[in-house]
Amino acid sequence: MRVLILGADGYLGWPTCMYFSERGHEVIGVDNYFRRNAAVELDCESLTPTPNLIQRTKIWEEITGKKISIHTGDITNYEFLLSIFKEYNPDTVIHYAEQPSAPYSMINRDKAAFTLQNNLITTLNILYAVKEVNPDCHIIKLGTMGEYGTPNIDIEEGWLEIEHKNRKDKFLFPRQAGSLYHTTKIQDTDMLWFYVRTWGLRVTDLMQGPVYGLSTDESDRDPRLISIFNYDEIFGTVLNRFIVQAVAGYPLTVYGKGNQTRGFLNLKDTMQCVYLSAGQSAEKGQLRIFNQMTEPFSINQLAEKVKTIGDKLGYSVEINRIENPRVEKEEHYYNVHYTGLIDLGLKPHYLTDEVLEGFFTITDKYRDRINKDAFFRGIQWK
Ligand SMILES: NC(=O)c1ccc[n+]([C@@H]2O[C@H](COP(=O)([O-])OP(=O)(O)OC[C@H]3O[C@@H](n4cnc5c(N)ncnc54)[C@H](O)[C@@H]3O)[C@@H](O)[C@H]2O)c1
């Protein structure tokens, strides 16, 4: 396959570049360094020191002999994106290149407007470039489990059959965002569905839960290949935050009652899910949706797990329940169906004590880089 990875410098993008390259595919990566620049602006840089993309691909080539092509640019610029599509004519495009943080989108109007503009225009441009250059190209788009919110019914895999006044039809599962960021993801899905119906494109939309972890088989070969990793309130996902807080001796920041439940997955499983989806494409004219998670946990359950393992390793972890800066249900029903990716061949890496211990060990190597001021500033939803 010739795979175009948009957002290649990111937490998921860089490990994905290596994962496909390792398996013999031609990889082209694109990024505009939005994430790195935003982290500098907000003083919440990556725990891990990460060379830029061009330097990382040189290291990768030095170790494996495999090439990854890199282009720096903004994919909201249609001419730029189109030139990449024309140069490479990819079979598969993986779209990670969005503003991925709910708190970032809630900081102020400008950050909300940026999120809206960036996320929707990147998606629109990809749809147009695919139509113009090769309508057979498979689009793999990262959505989020947060699109569904926390409804008081089971969450199905993307679609819901509804019977109304003795008639039946199938619709996108109802969506209710918990932030402006999540709203853009819902709008992306709607847009994908519109163009799939209208232009007959092939699209897989992965409703991904919060990802945790720092290690992949590829990055374990050389510390210079490790991904960017945020542990701050803005860009850090919850378990990644908790582990770094535990290592730093900072009480774990549980928001509100801590009974909020979400579906999580290991970084290694994101790689598998995207790879399996690419290898078994959606059909022409199909919007295929998978719920990309491997286990549900409440925030309290995660905090307790981190405390148990952290204490065992000698960190003496404290848990601090703080007033919830977000507007969200703290007690709710949560039952998600997520068999589609297992059916494609996913072999989950569950959150065992051993996995958590490994996570502590790798995080501890970077403890001197922890900036405690980044842990919590209390970005308010209200
Ligand atoms: N990490 C998670 O837990 C998680 C969970 C659910 C969904 N997702 C989704 O997965 C995708 C990747 O997430 P991530 O954690 O790797 O985020 P990330 O911020 O680390 O990666 C996204 C990359 O895209 C780049 N980018 C953004 N806008 C761009 C543009 N206009 N042009 C070129 N490059 C641009 C950024 O610089 C960044 O390197 C996002 O769409 C996110 O919403 C992530």
Side-chain angles (χ1 to χ4, degrees), residues 283-304:
E283 304 291 329
K284 262 177 127 29
Q286 183 191 15
L287 171 62
R288 182 175 62 163
I289 301 178
F290 294 125
N291 291 342
Q292 187 165 310
M293 56 172 278
T294 59
E295 296 170 280
F297 293 109
S298 72
I299 302 305
N300 284 332
Q301 284 172 324
L302 288 181
E304 288 303 333

mmCIF file of all heavy atoms in Angstrom, residues 283-304:
data_model
loop_
_atom_site.group_PDB
_atom_site.id
_atom_site.type_symbol
_atom_site.label_atom_id
_atom_site.label_comp_id
_atom_site.label_asym_id
_atom_site.label_seq_id
_atom_site.Cartn_x
_atom_site.Cartn_y
_atom_site.Cartn_z
ATOM 1 N N GLU A 283 -16.107 -0.553 1.563
ATOM 2 C CA GLU A 283 -16.547 -0.689 0.152
ATOM 3 C C GLU A 283 -16.756 0.689 -0.456
ATOM 4 O O GLU A 283 -16.916 1.672 0.275
ATOM 5 C CB GLU A 283 -17.901 -1.426 0.104
ATOM 6 C CG GLU A 283 -17.925 -2.786 0.765
ATOM 7 C CD GLU A 283 -17.120 -3.807 0.003
ATOM 8 O OE1 GLU A 283 -17.051 -3.691 -1.230
ATOM 9 O OE2 GLU A 283 -16.539 -4.703 0.657
ATOM 10 N N LYS A 284 -16.816 0.729 -1.760
ATOM 11 C CA LYS A 284 -17.199 1.979 -2.432
ATOM 12 C C LYS A 284 -18.599 2.367 -1.958
ATOM 13 O O LYS A 284 -19.481 1.508 -1.906
ATOM 14 C CB LYS A 284 -17.248 1.733 -3.944
ATOM 15 C CG LYS A 284 -16.016 2.153 -4.674
ATOM 16 C CD LYS A 284 -16.145 1.796 -6.142
ATOM 17 C CE LYS A 284 -15.895 2.948 -7.072
ATOM 18 N NZ LYS A 284 -15.014 4.006 -6.715
ATOM 19 N N GLY A 285 -18.787 3.633 -1.629
ATOM 20 C CA GLY A 285 -20.109 4.077 -1.192
ATOM 21 C C GLY A 285 -20.479 3.626 0.213
ATOM 22 O O GLY A 285 -21.654 3.647 0.579
ATOM 23 N N GLN A 286 -19.460 3.211 1.004
ATOM 24 C CA GLN A 286 -19.750 2.767 2.379
ATOM 25 C C GLN A 286 -19.063 3.678 3.390
ATOM 26 O O GLN A 286 -17.867 3.964 3.274
ATOM 27 C CB GLN A 286 -19.226 1.336 2.602
ATOM 28 C CG GLN A 286 -19.556 0.793 3.993
ATOM 29 C CD GLN A 286 -18.817 -0.511 4.344
ATOM 30 O OE1 GLN A 286 -17.852 -0.904 3.688
ATOM 31 N NE2 GLN A 286 -19.272 -1.154 5.408
ATOM 32 N N LEU A 287 -19.829 4.143 4.362
ATOM 33 C CA LEU A 287 -19.231 4.760 5.543
ATOM 34 C C LEU A 287 -19.244 3.665 6.610
ATOM 35 O O LEU A 287 -20.298 3.297 7.128
ATOM 36 C CB LEU A 287 -20.042 5.964 6.025
ATOM 37 C CG LEU A 287 -19.600 6.529 7.387
ATOM 38 C CD1 LEU A 287 -18.178 7.052 7.354
ATOM 39 C CD2 LEU A 287 -20.550 7.631 7.856
ATOM 40 N N ARG A 288 -18.054 3.133 6.886
ATOM 41 C CA ARG A 288 -17.926 2.034 7.854
ATOM 42 C C ARG A 288 -17.486 2.649 9.181
ATOM 43 O O ARG A 288 -16.521 3.405 9.225
ATOM 44 C CB ARG A 288 -16.887 1.055 7.327
ATOM 45 C CG ARG A 288 -16.675 -0.152 8.169
ATOM 46 C CD ARG A 288 -15.721 -1.106 7.493
ATOM 47 N NE ARG A 288 -14.395 -0.554 7.292
ATOM 48 C CZ ARG A 288 -13.302 -1.275 7.017
ATOM 49 N NH1 ARG A 288 -13.401 -2.575 6.879
ATOM 50 N NH2 ARG A 288 -12.130 -0.716 6.859
ATOM 51 N N ILE A 289 -18.187 2.323 10.233
ATOM 52 C CA ILE A 289 -17.853 2.919 11.538
ATOM 53 C C ILE A 289 -17.522 1.809 12.531
ATOM 54 O O ILE A 289 -18.264 0.834 12.666
ATOM 55 C CB ILE A 289 -19.021 3.772 12.074
ATOM 56 C CG1 ILE A 289 -19.347 4.904 11.080
ATOM 57 C CG2 ILE A 289 -18.692 4.353 13.455
ATOM 58 C CD1 ILE A 289 -20.514 5.787 11.463
ATOM 59 N N PHE A 290 -16.375 1.967 13.209
ATOM 60 C CA PHE A 290 -16.012 1.047 14.278
ATOM 61 C C PHE A 290 -15.853 1.820 15.584
ATOM 62 O O PHE A 290 -15.347 2.944 15.574
ATOM 63 C CB PHE A 290 -14.672 0.351 13.984
ATOM 64 C CG PHE A 290 -14.706 -0.576 12.805
ATOM 65 C CD1 PHE A 290 -13.807 -0.420 11.765
ATOM 66 C CD2 PHE A 290 -15.637 -1.608 12.738
ATOM 67 C CE1 PHE A 290 -13.823 -1.279 10.681
ATOM 68 C CE2 PHE A 290 -15.655 -2.475 11.647
ATOM 69 C CZ PHE A 290 -14.747 -2.311 10.615
ATOM 70 N N ASN A 291 -16.244 1.199 16.677
ATOM 71 C CA ASN A 291 -15.972 1.775 18.002
ATOM 72 C C ASN A 291 -14.611 1.255 18.446
ATOM 73 O O ASN A 291 -14.446 0.054 18.702
ATOM 74 C CB ASN A 291 -17.080 1.381 18.991
ATOM 75 C CG ASN A 291 -18.389 2.062 18.635
ATOM 76 O OD1 ASN A 291 -18.399 3.044 17.886
ATOM 77 N ND2 ASN A 291 -19.499 1.551 19.159
ATOM 78 N N GLN A 292 -13.648 2.171 18.509
ATOM 79 C CA GLN A 292 -12.256 1.770 18.715
ATOM 80 C C GLN A 292 -11.871 1.928 20.186
ATOM 81 O O GLN A 292 -11.347 2.963 20.608
ATOM 82 C CB GLN A 292 -11.354 2.623 17.805
ATOM 83 C CG GLN A 292 -9.916 2.196 17.813
ATOM 84 C CD GLN A 292 -9.138 2.791 16.651
ATOM 85 O OE1 GLN A 292 -9.556 2.709 15.510
ATOM 86 N NE2 GLN A 292 -8.011 3.386 16.926
ATOM 87 N N MET A 293 -12.158 0.901 20.953
ATOM 88 C CA MET A 293 -11.804 0.850 22.373
ATOM 89 C C MET A 293 -11.643 -0.621 22.731
ATOM 90 O O MET A 293 -12.111 -1.488 21.990
ATOM 91 C CB MET A 293 -12.905 1.466 23.235
ATOM 92 C CG MET A 293 -14.281 0.830 23.017
ATOM 93 S SD MET A 293 -15.526 1.375 24.187
ATOM 94 C CE MET A 293 -15.156 0.323 25.595
ATOM 95 N N THR A 294 -10.955 -0.896 23.846
ATOM 96 C CA THR A 294 -10.834 -2.312 24.218
ATOM 97 C C THR A 294 -11.391 -2.597 25.605
ATOM 98 O O THR A 294 -11.713 -3.746 25.898
ATOM 99 C CB THR A 294 -9.364 -2.779 24.160
ATOM 100 O OG1 THR A 294 -8.604 -1.980 25.057
ATOM 101 C CG2 THR A 294 -8.781 -2.657 22.759
ATOM 102 N N GLU A 295 -11.496 -1.569 26.470
ATOM 103 C CA GLU A 295 -12.016 -1.784 27.829
ATOM 104 C C GLU A 295 -12.615 -0.484 28.363
ATOM 105 O O GLU A 295 -11.985 0.566 28.225
ATOM 106 C CB GLU A 295 -10.885 -2.112 28.814
ATOM 107 C CG GLU A 295 -10.146 -3.371 28.580
ATOM 108 C CD GLU A 295 -8.903 -3.434 29.466
ATOM 109 O OE1 GLU A 295 -7.886 -2.804 29.109
ATOM 110 O OE2 GLU A 295 -8.953 -4.112 30.504
ATOM 111 N N PRO A 296 -13.781 -0.573 29.034
ATOM 112 C CA PRO A 296 -14.292 0.621 29.705
ATOM 113 C C PRO A 296 -13.758 0.713 31.139
ATOM 114 O O PRO A 296 -13.598 -0.316 31.813
ATOM 115 C CB PRO A 296 -15.806 0.383 29.720
ATOM 116 C CG PRO A 296 -15.976 -1.101 29.670
ATOM 117 C CD PRO A 296 -14.720 -1.701 29.093
ATOM 118 N N PHE A 297 -13.476 1.920 31.561
ATOM 119 C CA PHE A 297 -13.106 2.167 32.970
ATOM 120 C C PHE A 297 -13.737 3.475 33.417
ATOM 121 O O PHE A 297 -13.843 4.410 32.607
ATOM 122 C CB PHE A 297 -11.587 2.347 33.141
ATOM 123 C CG PHE A 297 -10.788 1.108 32.864
ATOM 124 C CD1 PHE A 297 -9.998 1.023 31.724
ATOM 125 C CD2 PHE A 297 -10.807 0.036 33.751
ATOM 126 C CE1 PHE A 297 -9.252 -0.108 31.461
ATOM 127 C CE2 PHE A 297 -10.057 -1.110 33.488
ATOM 128 C CZ PHE A 297 -9.279 -1.175 32.340
ATOM 129 N N SER A 298 -14.048 3.556 34.716
ATOM 130 C CA SER A 298 -14.398 4.870 35.253
ATOM 131 C C SER A 298 -13.084 5.560 35.633
ATOM 132 O O SER A 298 -12.047 4.902 35.802
ATOM 133 C CB SER A 298 -15.311 4.738 36.476
ATOM 134 O OG SER A 298 -14.556 4.238 37.566
ATOM 135 N N ILE A 299 -13.153 6.863 35.798
ATOM 136 C CA ILE A 299 -11.953 7.626 36.175
ATOM 137 C C ILE A 299 -11.464 7.143 37.547
ATOM 138 O O ILE A 299 -10.260 7.003 37.775
ATOM 139 C CB ILE A 299 -12.264 9.141 36.183
ATOM 140 C CG1 ILE A 299 -12.775 9.587 34.808
ATOM 141 C CG2 ILE A 299 -11.062 9.967 36.616
ATOM 142 C CD1 ILE A 299 -11.887 9.262 33.632
ATOM 143 N N ASN A 300 -12.421 6.860 38.454
ATOM 144 C CA ASN A 300 -12.007 6.342 39.772
ATOM 145 C C ASN A 300 -11.269 5.007 39.642
ATOM 146 O O ASN A 300 -10.284 4.771 40.342
ATOM 147 C CB ASN A 300 -13.234 6.131 40.679
ATOM 148 C CG ASN A 300 -13.755 7.443 41.219
ATOM 149 O OD1 ASN A 300 -12.986 8.401 41.372
ATOM 150 N ND2 ASN A 300 -15.053 7.506 41.511
ATOM 151 N N GLN A 301 -11.758 4.146 38.774
ATOM 152 C CA GLN A 301 -11.074 2.845 38.597
ATOM 153 C C GLN A 301 -9.641 3.050 38.110
ATOM 154 O O GLN A 301 -8.717 2.396 38.582
ATOM 155 C CB GLN A 301 -11.834 1.970 37.589
ATOM 156 C CG GLN A 301 -13.093 1.349 38.161
ATOM 157 C CD GLN A 301 -13.911 0.647 37.083
ATOM 158 O OE1 GLN A 301 -13.984 1.098 35.923
ATOM 159 N NE2 GLN A 301 -14.554 -0.448 37.453
ATOM 160 N N LEU A 302 -9.462 3.974 37.171
ATOM 161 C CA LEU A 302 -8.103 4.229 36.667
ATOM 162 C C LEU A 302 -7.217 4.785 37.770
ATOM 163 O O LEU A 302 -6.065 4.365 37.930
ATOM 164 C CB LEU A 302 -8.140 5.221 35.500
ATOM 165 C CG LEU A 302 -8.696 4.714 34.174
ATOM 166 C CD1 LEU A 302 -8.635 5.825 33.132
ATOM 167 C CD2 LEU A 302 -7.930 3.499 33.672
ATOM 168 N N ALA A 303 -7.784 5.740 38.539
ATOM 169 C CA ALA A 303 -6.983 6.355 39.617
ATOM 170 C C ALA A 303 -6.578 5.283 40.640
ATOM 171 O O ALA A 303 -5.429 5.244 41.096
ATOM 172 C CB ALA A 303 -7.785 7.467 40.282
ATOM 173 N N GLU A 304 -7.516 4.390 40.965
ATOM 174 C CA GLU A 304 -7.202 3.322 41.944
ATOM 175 C C GLU A 304 -6.123 2.385 41.410
ATOM 176 O O GLU A 304 -5.231 1.966 42.140
ATOM 177 C CB GLU A 304 -8.461 2.512 42.297
ATOM 178 C CG GLU A 304 -9.480 3.241 43.168
ATOM 179 C CD GLU A 304 -8.911 3.735 44.503
ATOM 180 O OE1 GLU A 304 -7.937 3.141 45.020
ATOM 181 O OE2 GLU A 304 -9.442 4.751 45.014
#
